[in-house]
Amino acid sequence: MKDVVSNCPIEEVMRVLSGRWPTLLLYYLKDGTKRFSDLQRDNPTLSHRMLALELRKLEVAGIIRRTAYPGYPLRVDYDLTASGLKLVPLIDALGGWWEDRAGDHVDPAKAKIQKRLVDAA
Amino acid sequence: MKDVVSNCPIEEVMRVLSGRWPTLLLYYLKDGTKRFSDLQRDNPTLSHRMLALELRKLEVAGIIRRTAYPGYPLRVDYDLTASGLKLVPLIDALGGWWEDRAGDHVDPAKAKIQKRLVDAA
DNA sequence: CTGAATCCGTCTCGATACTG
DNA sequence: CAGTATCGAGACGGATTCAG
């Protein structure tokens, strides 16, 4: 009874992309196919367990594709699906927006907010 | 000691937009100025407390602007900043992507995943 | 190498009650 | 009406261990 199966696509997409890792994994996978261990190296602060969980989540969402090769040692490749590829520029746009955002002039309201932050600390 | 002040803009922007509410609040605010109680009505499942916290987070991020009017009963307006306005179409693009995503053809791998989902349910 | 399961600390979130 | 403080439950994330 956690969610109400929202009708809103924005709510649904954020359920998949929310969190620190999904967008980062997307970022690393846009270069092409990667193995599990490659992604581990790309994100040193991401635990083994979390990597597995997040990859699974993205796979279920149809954003990445998982390909397991039989043999030993085990080998699994991950790459973006067609759908995932289309998502990448949208995420990049968010990153671009964040960088531009700093260029906006600082108005009095913002200064006041920064003071509040100091108070809280 | 929770975060490492990432250099990556994608990671930073997701720190602000992650979660169920930030993008939804953006969605409701794109119609124009809203009061605290308006946003409460727009999101019945969002608790009073969380609304205050999320609004504060977005304010600190420079995405929304808070305007308090002295007097009684208290009245506070929220609206998007210039920066926040520019963010709206990017979020909408994500929503659009989610809706289109369903149109992609279903390959064997995906079918297998969907079976897994059924199992989990 | 990949990944699932367990254990356990931490932090987020929601309910409630209180202030201005 | 708007916002804050407190508290308990539950989700989340990391370390470790086991399996294929």
Side-chain angles (χ1 to χ4, degrees), chain B:
Chain B
M1 221 154 310
K2 180 190 307 181
D3 43 12
V4 211
V5 212
S6 78
N7 31 17
C8 172
I10 295 179
E11 199 166 349
E12 310 230 349
V13 79
M14 288 313 290
R15 185 149 37 214
V16 175
L17 297 184
S18 271
R20 186 175 179 185
W21 307 118
T23 50
L24 278 184
L25 291 179
L26 231 59
Y27 176 82
Y28 286 116
L29 282 173
K30 80 179 176 186
D31 296 337
T33 300
K34 296 252 190 169
R35 300 185 50 177
F36 187 92
S37 47
D38 292 331
L39 293 169
Q40 260 190 311
R41 269 185 295 279
D42 289 337
N43 310 277
T45 62
L46 171 56
S47 71
H48 183 139
R49 174 177 174 269
M50 285 315 292
L51 178 56
L53 287 177
E54 298 290 342
L55 284 172
R56 181 71 180 272
K57 183 169 79 170
L58 292 175
E59 187 196 4
V60 169
I63 293 174
I64 65 177
R65 180 181 51 173
R66 177 183 180 279
T67 313
Y69 298 93
Y72 224 81
L74 230 46
R75 174 195 175 123
V76 181
D77 283 352
Y78 291 93
D79 59 0
L80 295 178
T81 63
S83 187
L85 273 173
K86 284 185 284 188
L87 181 55
V88 169
L90 304 183
I91 303 297
D92 279 343
L94 286 178
W97 168 84
W98 181 262
E99 289 177 323
D100 291 349
R101 184 197 50 87
D104 294 351
H105 81 284
V106 179
D107 56 28
K110 193 174 176 188
K112 178 177 147 216
I113 295 169
Q114 292 185 339
K115 176 172 183 306
R116 282 204 211 139
L117 278 178
V118 172
D119 290 342

Side-chain angles (χ1 to χ4, degrees), chain A residues 61-80:
Chain A
I63 293 174
I64 66 176
R65 180 181 53 173
R66 178 182 180 278
T67 312
Y69 297 94
Y72 224 82
L74 227 47
R75 174 195 174 122
V76 180
D77 282 353
Y78 291 93
D79 61 358
L80 296 178

Side-chain angles (χ1 to χ4, degrees), chain A residues 48-87:
Chain A
H48 181 139
R49 174 177 175 271
M50 279 293 111
L51 178 55
L53 287 176
E54 298 290 340
L55 284 173
R56 180 72 180 271
K57 183 169 78 170
L58 292 175
E59 187 197 2
V60 169
I63 293 174
I64 66 176
R65 180 181 53 173
R66 178 182 180 278
T67 312
Y69 297 94
Y72 224 82
L74 227 47
R75 174 195 174 122
V76 180
D77 282 353
Y78 291 93
D79 61 358
L80 296 178
T81 63
S83 186
L85 273 174
K86 284 185 283 189
L87 181 54

